[in-house]
């Protein structure tokens, strides 16, 4: 019998029959895995009500009789993230990040960098060390880096001018090309997303600097607005999925 043991964060829970839950976990050691929590619905004692988003758990699973199906045998809470649980806006952001991970990563592919990013940002919003909007931009940009869908922000995709050499403050972003485009090259294309040069520079910083520096940075108000709009479009387009939690976020945000 194969035993797996790892820190884990719940991405999704589905009720199964009258007694059981099927839970998708994002684990540090094994990536995304799905396991059945038998009698979790029926008996609160068995898993002591810890099987709720978004605390960090330590879980142990074994392989069941059906090949491939994992059975949750032990679970203990290591970080409860109570402030997220109590606050609907924080819950909405955490749900959006969980859905991005759930819909983009393959099962059983180890994603340690992404796990650490997710954990770190949950911890930061739980402790009110960062605004949820800033955390959301950082999550999406760094997720894009890790997933190999990094937006091109250094230069215009058409004339190849570096953004520092482009005159004026107005730039655009072409989602299909995944790149910044200068005002000249954009030539009135209304589909592209407007961005100030200052926003692009802040996003470049988020892309490339060490995470500890990025987490301390102060975003300007217009950067927060433009970057939120850009990254939500970008992630939707490149992950190629609709996110129900994003609709929820817009309702409560
Ligand atoms: Zn250009």
């Amino acid at each position: 019998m194969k035993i797996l043991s790892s820190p884990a964060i719940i991405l999704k829970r589905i009720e199964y029959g009258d007694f059981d839950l099927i839970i998708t976990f994002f684990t540090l050691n094994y990536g995304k895995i799905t396991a059945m929590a038998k009698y979790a619905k029926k008996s609160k004692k068995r898993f002591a009500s810890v099987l709720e988003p978004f605390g960090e758990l330590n879980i142990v699973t074994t392989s069941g009789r059906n090949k491939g199906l994992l059975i949750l045998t032990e679970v203990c809470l290591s970080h409860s993230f109570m402030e997220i649980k109590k606050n609907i806006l924080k819950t909405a952001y955490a749900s959006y990040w969980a859905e991005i991970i759930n819909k983009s990563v393959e099962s059983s592919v180890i994603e340690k960098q992404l796990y650490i990013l997710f954990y770190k940002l949950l911890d930061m919003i739980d402790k009110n060390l960062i605004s949820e909007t800033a955390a959301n931009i950082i999550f999406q940009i760094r997720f894009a880096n890790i997933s190999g869908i990094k937006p091109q922000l250094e230069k215009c995709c058409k004339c190849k001018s570096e953004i520092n050499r482009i005159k004026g403050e107005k730039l655009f972003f072409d989602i299909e090309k995944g790149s910044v485009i200068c005002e000249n090259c954009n030539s009135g294309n209304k589909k592209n997303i407007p961005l100030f040069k200052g926003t692009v520079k802040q996003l470049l910083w988020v892309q490339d600097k060490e995470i500890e520096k990025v987490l301390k940075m102060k975003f300007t108000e217009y950067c927060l607005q433009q970057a939120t709009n850009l990254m939500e479009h970008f992630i939707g387009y490149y992950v190629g999925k609709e996110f129900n939690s994003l609709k929820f976020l817009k309702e409560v945000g």
Side-chain angles (χ1 to χ4, degrees):
M1 199 180 337
K2 202 174 161 199
I3 295 174
L4 305 184
S5 163
S6 178
I9 300 167
I10 292 176
L11 296 177
K12 196 178 170 191
R13 288 166 29 128
I14 303 171
E15 298 193 352
Y16 186 78
D18 289 336
F19 307 112
D20 309 332
L21 292 173
I22 292 181
I23 302 180
T24 306
F25 292 102
F26 193 40
T27 71
L28 179 65
N29 298 337
Y30 310 99
K32 183 173 82 172
I33 62 170
T34 299
M36 181 176 273
K38 288 192 170 235
Y39 305 107
K41 260 182 79 184
K42 187 82 178 165
S43 161
K44 289 265 181 279
K45 246 190 289 171
R46 182 158 159 75
F47 292 116
S49 307
V50 296
L51 290 177
E52 284 172 23
F54 285 94
E56 191 192 45
L57 312 165
N58 281 312
I59 62 164
V60 179
T61 66
T62 59
S63 44
R65 257 175 258 151
N66 302 333
K67 262 195 183 164
L69 180 68
L70 299 172
I71 306 290
L72 188 69
T73 51
E74 283 175 45
V75 54
C76 84
L77 187 64
S78 56
H79 296 96
S80 67
F81 297 146
M82 274 318 281
E83 291 306 312
I84 298 178
K85 230 165 256 176
K86 286 194 290 192
N87 180 309
I88 193 161
L89 184 66
K90 290 182 196 292
T91 299
Y93 278 106
S95 305
Y96 176 49
W97 305 338
E99 195 179 355
I100 291 175
I101 294 171
N102 190 33
K103 289 188 168 166
S104 66
V105 308
E106 302 271 337
S107 289
S108 305
V109 175
I110 299 168
E111 297 272 7
K112 285 202 173 170
Q113 255 187 304
L114 185 55
Y115 184 92
I116 292 164
L117 176 72
F118 187 35
Y119 174 84
K120 185 86 197 161
L121 287 167
L122 290 175
D123 189 46
M124 298 271 299
I125 63 167
D126 183 65
K127 293 184 175 130
N128 285 317
L129 295 174
I130 192 170
S131 81
E132 290 82 11
T133 325
N136 191 35
I137 290 165
I138 295 168
F139 178 83
Q140 292 173 98
I141 287 268
R142 302 294 283 219
F143 163 82
N145 277 8
I146 293 167
S147 311
I149 52 169
K150 193 172 173 178
Q152 165 32 346
L153 299 168
E154 292 89 353
K155 54 190 177 195
C156 169
C157 58
K158 246 185 182 169
C159 67
K160 312 291 178 201
S161 304
E162 285 180 26
I163 61 148
N164 282 328
R165 294 174 180 272
I166 296 169
K167 290 210 176 79
E169 275 304 306
K170 268 176 135 182
L171 295 169
F172 293 85
F173 194 90
D174 184 325
I175 290 280
E176 283 170 26
K177 295 213 163 62
S179 173
V180 163
I181 184 164
C182 74
E183 196 179 11
N184 269 346
C185 295
N186 188 56
S187 64
N189 184 342
K190 294 212 170 62
K191 227 173 57 190
N192 292 336
I193 297 172
L195 291 174
F196 292 143
K197 201 188 275 179
T199 302
V200 176
K201 285 184 179 171
Q202 288 205 301
L203 291 181
L204 274 167
W205 180 280
V206 178
Q207 256 184 352
D208 298 330
K209 295 289 176 204
E210 304 92 274
I211 191 73
E212 295 305 325
K213 282 188 185 160
V214 169
L215 292 169
K216 285 188 194 127
M217 80 181 269
K218 297 269 172 276
F219 291 91
T220 56
E221 194 52 43
Y222 70 77
C223 176
L224 288 176
Q225 287 170 15
Q226 290 188 334
T228 299
N229 181 38
L230 169 67
M231 288 316 294
E232 286 169 0
H233 280 91
F234 184 87
I235 294 291
Y237 185 84
Y238 283 95
V239 174
K241 302 273 163 63
E242 283 213 15
F243 298 105
N244 299 327
S245 53
L246 189 57
K247 286 177 207 144
F248 175 59
L249 180 57
K250 296 296 160 202
E251 281 169 29
V252 299

